[in-house]
Amino acid sequence: MRVVTKISELRDEIQTFRSTHSDAKVGLVPTMGFLHEGHASLIRRSVTECGLTVVSIFVNPLQFGPGEDFERYPRDAERDTALAEAAGANLVFMPAVAEMYPRPLATRVLVSGVTDRLCGASRPGHFDGVGTVVSKLFHIAMPDRAYFGMKDAQQVAVITTMVQDLDMPVEIVPCETVREPDGLALSSRNVYLNEEERVQALALSRTLSRVKGWLDDGLSAQETAERMRQQINDVPLAELDYAEILTFPELTVPEGQLTSGTRWIAALAVRFGRTRLIDNRIFSGDEVSAHV
Ligand code: AMP
């Protein structure tokens, strides 16, 4: 595995690979580093489907708002390269901020509609930063496939919309959320949690695991979201950011019942002290018994 920090080096490596493997696919796994099993699952998936797997590790200042955790976001380049290599990556791209943004950007990629709610509403500008950096990474690496975790389901919706709207020749591959044995979704931010917060953070996955039952009982989207809010508000250290049920992948407010052929997302964002955690589950009308 090679580690490169310059855009030109990454382009050269990929160009060399493509010139010698004309049929092979190039897979890209964009990350902000401090890699864990969730990232590793994306890398392994790319390795099984592509001849060359590129992992980008870049804490993108553009997607952090003022007062968010850009400076203190956990970083460990040595551990990350070891984990990427163990998962089978061929190339790691670790640019400095000045390499990606040598001057203030005059150009941004803004995706509207799917960014109106959830993290798009509670982190203004966040998805502008995500759309812009992912679009830069796509132009730099020119991957055939790019792998994204459903842990960040709204990000998948945003990137898919961007790729469709701008005819970017890359296939977006959504990958399942990897969880701790007790249900907590893996996240680089989990290291911020103290012992007590770590225990109470189970409220997210526990609440989401109850949603199917509420939908099975025939509760509406609004009633179900209200139940989710109550569950989180019962947890002493939890401060609710949002709990919503929306259509997926459109991310609009559902009307009526979840019917066959449609999907809803139950999405949560909850703060424990300065740590903001998100999690979600997707439900299809075909698996909810009250409505099939
Ligand atoms: P991040 O480094 O947090 O920006 O995440 C990089 C990629 O890994 C994104 O596509 C995330 O959705 C994905 N990812 C993060 N956590 C998980 C997880 N627990 N399971 C699966 N994918 C994940």
Side-chain angles (χ1 to χ4, degrees):
M1 188 187 78
R2 274 208 67 191
V3 179
V4 297
T5 58
K6 302 288 174 216
I7 292 170
S8 57
E9 289 174 308
L10 182 67
R11 285 205 163 121
D12 287 349
E13 287 284 337
I14 294 172
Q15 178 56 38
T16 304
F17 173 80
R18 284 208 188 272
S19 63
T20 48
H21 302 77
S22 55
D23 290 342
K25 305 270 182 224
V26 173
L28 175 68
V29 183
T31 81
M32 296 205 301
F34 212 67
L35 303 182
H36 50 65
E37 260 306 299
H39 301 109
S41 72
L42 271 54
I43 298 171
R44 285 194 294 264
R45 172 97 181 255
S46 172
V47 169
T48 61
E49 296 178 356
C50 302
L52 184 83
T53 292
V54 182
V55 179
S56 64
I57 297 180
F58 180 59
V59 184
N60 173 33
L62 227 55
Q63 69 191 69
F64 289 79
E68 289 190 351
D69 56 347
F70 173 68
E71 276 86 16
R72 70 182 188 112
Y73 195 83
R75 292 159 168 94
D76 189 338
E78 216 168 293
R79 194 169 142 272
D80 283 352
T81 41
L83 193 146
E85 184 159 31
N90 305 103
L91 260 176
V92 167
F93 177 50
M94 253 185 202
V97 171
E99 178 71 7
M100 291 293 275
Y101 305 124
R103 53 159 210 241
L105 280 182
T107 309
R108 305 263 174 143
V109 177
L110 312 188
V111 180
S112 60
V114 286
T115 53
D116 286 349
R117 308 182 72 92
L118 308 179
C119 295
S122 59
R123 300 182 70 190
H126 169 66
F127 285 115
D128 303 347
V130 170
T132 303
V133 79
V134 170
S135 143
K136 272 178 78 84
L137 290 167
F138 285 177
H139 284 104
I140 294 166
M142 303 273 207
D144 298 288
R145 297 200 175 118
Y147 295 80
F148 290 90
M150 282 300 287
K151 154 91 176 3
D152 301 280
Q154 190 173 21
Q155 175 167 274
V156 170
V158 168
I159 300 301
T160 306
T161 304
M162 175 184 86
V163 160
Q164 288 170 355
D165 282 354
L166 300 181
D167 297 298
M168 295 183 178
V170 51
E171 182 191 340
I172 302 306
V173 184
C175 304
E176 219 173 284
T177 301
V178 177
R179 297 174 181 280
E180 298 283 4
D182 63 7
L184 181 72
L186 294 191
S187 164
S188 306
R189 289 189 168 98
N190 289 350
V191 293
Y192 295 150
L193 299 169
N194 67 31
E195 222 171 294
E196 217 179 342
E197 291 168 340
R198 170 66 182 80
V199 172
Q200 297 194 22
L202 282 181
L204 283 89
S205 54
R206 188 174 59 231
T207 299
L208 290 167
S209 71
R210 293 179 179 157
V211 168
K212 180 167 184 307
W214 296 327
L215 294 175
D216 279 342
D217 291 344
L219 262 60
S220 69
Q222 284 69 24
E223 288 163 338
T224 305
E226 194 43 46
R227 288 270 177 105
M228 290 165 64
R229 287 179 202 116
Q230 283 163 8
Q231 297 276 315
I232 298 298
N233 288 332
D234 279 348
V235 176
L237 299 177
E239 193 198 320
L240 182 69
D241 180 347
Y242 61 70
E244 290 194 60
I245 305 272
L246 299 173
T247 62
F248 191 84
E250 303 80 9
L251 301 180
T252 55
V253 176
E255 282 172 26
Q257 304 284 5
L258 178 58
T259 49
S260 179
T262 60
R263 287 187 296 168
W264 286 359
I265 182 170
L268 277 174
V270 181
R271 277 176 215 286
F272 291 88
R274 291 164 69 199
T275 309
R276 182 175 174 282
L277 302 180
I278 59 171
D279 199 355
N280 71 81
R281 282 207 182 207
I282 305 242
F283 301 92
S284 122
D286 305 297
E287 62 183 80
V288 172
S289 57
H291 314 300
V292 291

